[in-house]
Amino acid sequence: MSAVGTAGREALARRVDDLLRTVPDFPSPGIQFRDIMPLLADAAAFAEVVAHLAQAARDEHGGIDLVAGMEARGFLLAAPVATTLGAGLVPVRKSGKLPGPVEQVSYALEYGEASVEVQPFTIRPGARVLVIDDVLATGGTAAATVDLLERCGAQVVGLSFLVELSALDGRSLLDGRSVDALLALG
Ligand SMILES: O=P(O)(O)OC[C@H]1O[C@H](OP(=O)(O)OP(=O)(O)O)[C@H](O)[C@@H]1O
Ligand SMILES: Nc1ncnc2[nH]cnc12
């Protein structure tokens, strides 16, 4: 359990829930989009979320060399968590954005398909990597990211999300992994 304890974690989860915006039919019909931007705009809540993610990772995994964040919303959390932990950052980018050499994996997500890439030369063999993203939905992005990082020689110690959309069962694609989400929504 993080230094804030169970009660603190639950209070923070409620705060996150209050600050999330749910947008029906975005970006396509039938999707209930969970928008984290109001949370990021709240200075105190943003700082608390970053501190919580970092402390929970320290408690659960010990030393972390690199934090991997998925484009684009994952970057917004992974970068401050990395500096808080004294770790480096690995941006996991949609394809065509990083100058090569790159490693690439394609995957399906709740509303489409994508490919993600990393620069393998930024990852030392055996590096202990924490994966951070805002939302775990189908798990496609997260599973592709784990695959990508491991192909590059990383040791993925765990994955941490702000919000998990439980009905989409993203955890099933991450079987056997250490997965944490601050807030679970249906
Ligand atoms: O579990 P999944 O079904 O894979 O979905 C989760 C992913 O979807 C969103 O990113 P998106 O690809 O929409 O990109 P964005 O961050 O650029 O908005 C979200 O930030 C996660 O990365
Ligand atoms: N419903 C959703 N809301 C926000 N981000 C998402 N990524 C995948 N599904 C999502």
Side-chain angles (χ1 to χ4, degrees), residues 31-35 73 109-111 134-135 137 165 168:
I31 302 292
Q32 294 283 320
F33 187 82
R34 311 295 182 165
D35 182 12
R73 283 172 272 150
L109 75 169
E110 196 187 0
Y111 37 73
D134 63 333
V135 174
L165 307 181
L168 295 171

Side-chain angles (χ1 to χ4, degrees), residues 64-143:
I64 288 164
D65 301 312
L66 292 168
V67 179
M70 290 84 128
E71 183 170 356
R73 283 172 272 150
F75 294 170
L76 305 172
L77 296 171
V81 170
T83 60
T84 305
L85 287 172
L89 177 73
V90 182
V92 177
R93 299 216 61 181
K94 306 269 166 66
S95 55
K97 299 287 187 178
L98 288 170
V102 293
E103 190 74 43
Q104 185 192 81
V105 170
S106 298
Y107 64 100
L109 75 169
E110 196 187 0
Y111 37 73
E113 280 192 9
S115 299
V116 281
E117 296 179 345
V118 296
Q119 293 171 319
F121 54 87
T122 60
I123 302 171
R124 174 183 60 73
R128 292 171 55 78
V129 181
L130 171 73
V131 174
I132 296 241
D133 207 350
D134 63 333
V135 174
L136 174 64
T138 64
T141 307

